[in-house]
Amino acid sequence: MGLIGRVRLILAIWAAKVTYLSCRAVGSKGTSKPGQIARAIYPGILPALARQVARGTAVTTGTNGKTATNNLLASILRAAGHRVICNGSGANMPNGIVWAYVGAAGPFGGLRADFACLEVDEGALGLIAGQVRPTLFIVTNVLPDQTDRYAGPDKVYAMVAAELRRHGGAFTILNADDPVSSAMGAAGDAAYYSVAAGGGKTAEGRDPEPIAGPTADPMAGPIAVPAGSSGAAAPSLRLGDPPPYCKLCGGVLGFTDVRLGWVGDYACASCGYANPEAEMVAEGAVSSGGSSSFGIRHRRGGSAKGSGGGAPDMGAPDGARGGEVSRRVSLGLRGPHNVYNALAAALAASKMGITLEAAADGLSAYAASGDRVEAVRVGPMEVAVLMGKNPASVGSAMEAMAGDARPKDALLAVNDDVRDGRDVSWLWDSGFVRLAELGVESVVVSGSRAHDLNLRLLHALGGKVATLVRPDPREAVRELASRAGPGRGSYVIANYTANALLRDVMRRMGAPKSRVKTAAIENDVDGAAESREARDPIAAGPSGGRVRSPAAGDADPAAKDALTIYCLYPSYLGAYGDKGNVECLVRRVRDLGMEARVVAYEGCGPLSLADADIAFIGDSYEGSAAEAHGKLSQHADALRGFVESSGAMLAVGFGLRMLGTGMTLSGDAADGLGILGLRSEAADKRRHGYASAHASIGGRGFTLVGYENASARTYMDGHGNGGLPRSAGGGPKPMGHANVPGACAPLAKVGRGYGNNGEDGLEGVVYKGLIGTNLHGPVLAYNPELSDFLIGMAVRRRHGKGIAPRTALDAASEKARQTVIMRIGRRYGTMVGNRGRP
């Protein structure tokens, strides 16, 4: 480093430290701004400081568990007597990581550290890893999260796997139970960790609560495993949850156990890829109160698949070659997800020269940082604050609540700051119905997307739990405090910025002024007396599908008004919260006084829609599009017959494009089903953000809203380029269909957003009883007019009569819709490739 570089380094360090003190003086954490200042003064500050770390750098990335895993590893290393740099507050973007180094540096740029432990956001991994040159990577898991940033888990996998290949000299720690991230170690040095299935009993003597288990959703139940796959159906995969696909061959994965999201025991039907052999395994987990206890079995000496002695030379522990050791661990964190986090940290520590005995001591000494899990006292009330930022973390938070047998009150909050992710469709993939089963008696709903969350809870809980909307965080905390009392538990589940804001509000508040409970409940929703049996799991049904059984004691559905909803291939087609469309239909059908049945069709044989009243085809992530195309292509005639007979159908995203005459699939031109006169092609950029359009359907005009998240353009015959997109060779691809496709009409005229293609100003299609749209959210939650059209078409076709379209959920839907409209009015979201539209 030259003289000028040394001067800039010193100036950057002093400026950052002064900025940090200023931020702290005004009540800010000061984890981002100081790093930003330092980078502006000396852009090369991170590699300059990272080179001074003596023994190695561990980088932790993945969807869930980064903060806890990184902090647990730092705790282990510090307990062993090492000096450690760690961005322990969860500031995992470049500015926060730079501050972790600058904060530990001396005034003249000197740095004394044995190890650096860095939590790094998946999107920033390429930049950070290139500058700090890790000796070890930890990948916790790859699950759906922040789809506005990443589109889906396929993109996250590609980003992280590319960085592992780029830094081939670094060792990798992988979760053997995650079929996505575990595949990253197939071609390199890696060690795996795993939690044994059925890991013991809780302190209360019961089986551990499944995360997002079979009763975690009104649509819950086993999903039929497609023919030819291995393994039994996973009981905790909910309707619409798209499981991952084998990253080695693209085959279908069968699950025999699911423990977190799609983390569990799996096997590929095509190539046989299954959980790799784990070097470190957790067994006999027991959770009680706010802590966990479990055994760790370590097969030392690189027995794991792919871990052939290539660990970084950071000081091997005594006796690390050969043999097996075990140790019981006590951890001050509750829940199976934290067992995974602790296991990843312990295995990484073993590669950094720490014995299992020392690692267990470090885990036992760990004290939570307060950024993800914290107990906060507000007057006489103690509140457990948990993170809920995606479906997996919501399930983990509820698992943490499961060990508390007291009656409970909860505060749920969702913000949509850029750090949280603009798209909140993940709420519809989260099993909030479990709140009622956990003894929660009231829920206060808060945050900038309070009305969206409230709408989700009304569908999930059906009035079984009192919900009150308090968007202002101070009012929400006061409401929660007014319900607290001896023998009651109080919980907060919130995403990133809402979590931090609520903790700050609670710390600043004293005892509440009033402890009088609110008498009136804001949500007057019919259905509070709905029986628990009305949420029976989906049972074996016709056409290779699964049918949701009628509630016990109900009359025969054939003897009353009943509608059957077919959800086609939910394991492949349920991205971006689209599963919620089926839930919205079920709840609305019931509110109209009819019985609803759901068939989750996963079969490979002939499809019969003779008993179907409404069919739903959802969107897909990139990794499942080819498989979904192959499945749906088998049923072109059945689907065409249903549509032409005015059957009610909702097709979203990929489902809409599939109904056309042609589309782009994995960069190549492919045939659609030829049912509609439209074609689709790949766009140069993905567009995402909220959109609105002026729609009129069934004689009702309304503002159609939803979230766009796609990288395709769709054209209808007679609009734009005449429905003939360019093929890979540059010219139009022949239709290849004997049947003349239906001439569909546009669903709406775009007001704000992208629509079908960003050129003709049109959104979606309508053809007979079919609605196709590019909007997520799910679209039916925000636009009940669409639900009424579909249900009305189905009722007239099946029963020959009309329906009364208004239900008790309409007011909540309208408030959520107005939230979206307000966001759009502020030019909210990112319309990538929008050609001039905001």
Coordinates of all heavy atoms in Angstrom, one line a residue, residues 690-695 704 708 746-764 774-775 831 834 837-838:
Y690 N -45.7 -3.4 -8.2 CA -47.2 -3.4 -8.1 C -47.7 -2.7 -9.4 O -47.1 -1.8 -9.9 CB -47.6 -2.7 -6.8 CG -47.5 -3.6 -5.6 CD1 -46.4 -3.4 -4.8 CD2 -48.4 -4.6 -5.4 CE1 -46.2 -4.3 -3.7 CE2 -48.2 -5.4 -4.3 CZ -47.1 -5.2 -3.5 OH -46.9 -6.1 -2.4
A691 N -48.9 -3.2 -9.8 CA -49.5 -2.6 -11.0 C -51.0 -2.5 -10.7 O -51.6 -3.1 -9.9 CB -49.3 -3.6 -12.2
S692 N -51.6 -1.6 -11.5 CA -53.1 -1.4 -11.4 C -53.6 -1.3 -12.9 O -52.9 -0.9 -13.8 CB -53.4 -0.1 -10.7 OG -53.0 1.0 -11.3
A693 N -54.8 -1.7 -13.0 CA -55.5 -1.7 -14.4 C -56.9 -1.4 -14.2 O -57.5 -1.7 -13.1 CB -55.2 -3.0 -15.1
H694 N -57.6 -0.9 -15.2 CA -59.0 -0.6 -15.2 C -59.7 -1.8 -15.8 O -59.6 -2.1 -17.0 CB -59.3 0.7 -16.0 CG -58.5 1.9 -15.5 ND1 -58.6 2.5 -14.3 CD2 -57.5 2.5 -16.1 CE1 -57.8 3.4 -14.2 NE2 -57.1 3.5 -15.3
A695 N -60.5 -2.5 -15.0 CA -61.1 -3.7 -15.4 C -62.6 -3.6 -15.3 O -63.2 -2.9 -14.5 CB -60.6 -4.9 -14.6
L704 N -58.2 -3.2 -10.9 CA -57.5 -4.4 -10.7 C -56.1 -4.1 -10.2 O -55.4 -3.4 -10.8 CB -57.5 -5.2 -12.0 CG -56.7 -6.5 -12.1 CD1 -57.5 -7.6 -11.4 CD2 -56.5 -6.9 -13.6
E708 N -46.6 -7.7 -10.1 CA -46.0 -8.3 -11.3 C -44.6 -8.9 -11.0 O -43.8 -8.2 -10.3 CB -45.9 -7.3 -12.5 CG -47.2 -6.8 -12.9 CD -47.0 -5.7 -14.0 OE1 -46.2 -4.8 -13.8 OE2 -47.7 -5.8 -15.0
P746 N -58.9 -8.7 -23.8 CA -58.1 -8.3 -22.7 C -59.0 -8.2 -21.4 O -60.2 -7.8 -21.5 CB -57.6 -6.9 -23.1 CG -58.6 -6.5 -24.1 CD -59.0 -7.7 -24.8
L747 N -58.4 -8.5 -20.3 CA -59.1 -8.4 -19.0 C -59.2 -6.9 -18.6 O -60.2 -6.5 -18.0 CB -58.3 -9.2 -17.9 CG -58.7 -9.0 -16.5 CD1 -60.2 -9.5 -16.3 CD2 -57.8 -9.8 -15.6
A748 N -58.1 -6.2 -18.8 CA -58.1 -4.8 -18.3 C -57.1 -3.9 -19.1 O -56.3 -4.4 -19.8 CB -57.6 -4.8 -16.8
K749 N -57.2 -2.6 -18.9 CA -56.4 -1.7 -19.5 C -55.4 -1.2 -18.4 O -55.8 -0.7 -17.4 CB -57.2 -0.5 -20.1 CG -56.3 0.6 -20.7 CD -55.7 0.1 -22.0 CE -55.0 1.3 -22.7 NZ -54.3 0.9 -24.0
V750 N -54.1 -1.3 -18.7 CA -53.1 -0.9 -17.7 C -53.2 0.5 -17.3 O -53.2 1.4 -18.2 CB -51.7 -1.3 -18.2 CG1 -50.6 -0.8 -17.2 CG2 -51.6 -2.8 -18.4
G751 N -53.2 0.8 -16.0 CA -53.1 2.2 -15.5 C -51.6 2.5 -15.1 O -51.0 3.4 -15.6
R752 N -51.1 1.6 -14.2 CA -49.7 1.7 -13.8 C -49.1 0.3 -13.9 O -49.7 -0.6 -13.4 CB -49.6 2.2 -12.4 CG -50.1 3.6 -12.2 CD -49.0 4.6 -12.5 NE -49.4 6.0 -12.1 CZ -48.6 7.0 -12.2 NH1 -47.4 6.9 -12.7 NH2 -49.0 8.2 -11.9
G753 N -48.0 0.1 -14.5 CA -47.4 -1.2 -14.6 C -47.0 -1.6 -16.0 O -46.9 -0.8 -16.9
Y754 N -46.9 -2.9 -16.1 CA -46.3 -3.4 -17.3 C -47.4 -4.2 -18.1 O -47.5 -4.0 -19.3 CB -45.2 -4.4 -17.0 CG -44.4 -4.9 -18.1 CD1 -43.2 -4.3 -18.4 CD2 -44.7 -6.0 -18.9 CE1 -42.4 -4.7 -19.5 CE2 -43.9 -6.5 -19.9 CZ -42.8 -5.8 -20.2 OH -42.0 -6.3 -21.2
G755 N -48.2 -5.0 -17.5 CA -49.3 -5.7 -18.1 C -48.7 -6.9 -18.9 O -47.7 -7.5 -18.6
N756 N -49.4 -7.3 -20.0 CA -49.0 -8.4 -20.8 C -47.7 -8.3 -21.4 O -46.9 -9.3 -21.5 CB -50.1 -8.7 -21.9 CG -51.4 -9.1 -21.3 OD1 -51.5 -9.6 -20.2 ND2 -52.5 -9.0 -22.1
N757 N -47.3 -7.1 -21.9 CA -46.0 -7.0 -22.6 C -45.4 -5.7 -22.5 O -44.3 -5.5 -23.1 CB -46.3 -7.4 -24.1 CG -47.5 -6.6 -24.6 OD1 -47.5 -5.4 -24.6 ND2 -48.5 -7.4 -25.1
G758 N -46.0 -4.7 -21.9 CA -45.3 -3.4 -21.8 C -45.5 -2.6 -23.0 O -44.8 -1.5 -23.1
E759 N -46.2 -3.0 -24.0 CA -46.3 -2.3 -25.3 C -47.7 -1.9 -25.6 O -48.0 -0.7 -26.0 CB -45.8 -3.2 -26.4 CG -44.3 -3.5 -26.2 CD -43.9 -4.6 -27.2 OE1 -44.6 -4.9 -28.2 OE2 -42.7 -5.1 -27.1
D760 N -48.7 -2.8 -25.5 CA -50.1 -2.5 -25.9 C -51.0 -2.0 -24.8 O -52.1 -1.6 -25.0 CB -50.7 -3.7 -26.6 CG -50.7 -4.9 -25.7 OD1 -50.7 -4.8 -24.5 OD2 -50.8 -6.1 -26.2
G761 N -50.4 -1.9 -23.6 CA -51.2 -1.3 -22.5 C -52.3 -2.2 -22.0 O -53.2 -1.8 -21.3
L762 N -52.3 -3.5 -22.3 CA -53.3 -4.5 -21.9 C -52.8 -5.4 -20.8 O -51.6 -5.8 -20.7 CB -53.8 -5.3 -23.1 CG -54.3 -4.5 -24.3 CD1 -54.7 -5.4 -25.4 CD2 -55.5 -3.6 -23.9
E763 N -53.7 -5.9 -19.9 CA -53.4 -6.8 -18.9 C -54.4 -8.0 -18.9 O -55.6 -7.8 -18.9 CB -53.4 -6.1 -17.5 CG -53.6 -7.1 -16.3 CD -52.6 -8.2 -16.2 OE1 -51.4 -8.0 -16.7 OE2 -52.9 -9.2 -15.6
G764 N -53.8 -9.2 -18.9 CA -54.6 -10.4 -18.8 C -55.5 -10.6 -20.0 O -55.5 -9.9 -21.0
N774 N -51.4 -11.8 -15.2 CA -50.0 -11.8 -14.8 C -49.8 -11.4 -13.4 O -48.6 -11.3 -12.9 CB -49.2 -10.8 -15.7 CG -49.3 -11.2 -17.2 OD1 -48.7 -12.2 -17.7 ND2 -50.0 -10.4 -18.0
L775 N -50.8 -11.1 -12.7 CA -50.7 -10.5 -11.4 C -50.8 -11.5 -10.3 O -51.5 -12.5 -10.3 CB -51.9 -9.5 -11.2 CG -51.9 -8.3 -12.1 CD1 -53.1 -7.4 -11.8 CD2 -50.6 -7.5 -12.2
M831 N -40.4 -1.3 -12.0 CA -40.9 -1.9 -13.2 C -39.7 -2.0 -14.2 O -39.4 -1.1 -15.0 CB -42.0 -1.0 -13.8 CG -43.1 -0.7 -12.9 SD -44.0 -2.3 -12.4 CE -45.2 -1.6 -11.3
N834 N -39.8 -1.4 -18.3 CA -41.2 -1.0 -18.4 C -41.4 0.0 -19.5 O -42.5 0.5 -19.7 CB -41.6 -0.4 -17.1 CG -43.1 -0.4 -16.9 OD1 -43.8 -1.2 -17.6 ND2 -43.7 0.4 -16.1
R837 N -43.2 3.4 -18.5 CA -44.2 3.4 -17.5 C -43.6 3.4 -16.1 O -42.6 2.7 -15.9 CB -45.2 2.2 -17.7 CG -46.1 2.4 -19.0 CD -47.2 1.3 -18.9 NE -48.0 1.5 -20.1 CZ -47.8 0.9 -21.2 NH1 -46.7 0.2 -21.4 NH2 -48.6 1.1 -22.3
P838 N -44.2 4.1 -15.2 CA -43.6 4.1 -13.8 C -43.8 2.8 -13.1 O -44.7 2.0 -13.4 CB -44.4 5.2 -13.1 CG -45.7 5.3 -13.8 CD -45.4 4.9 -15.2

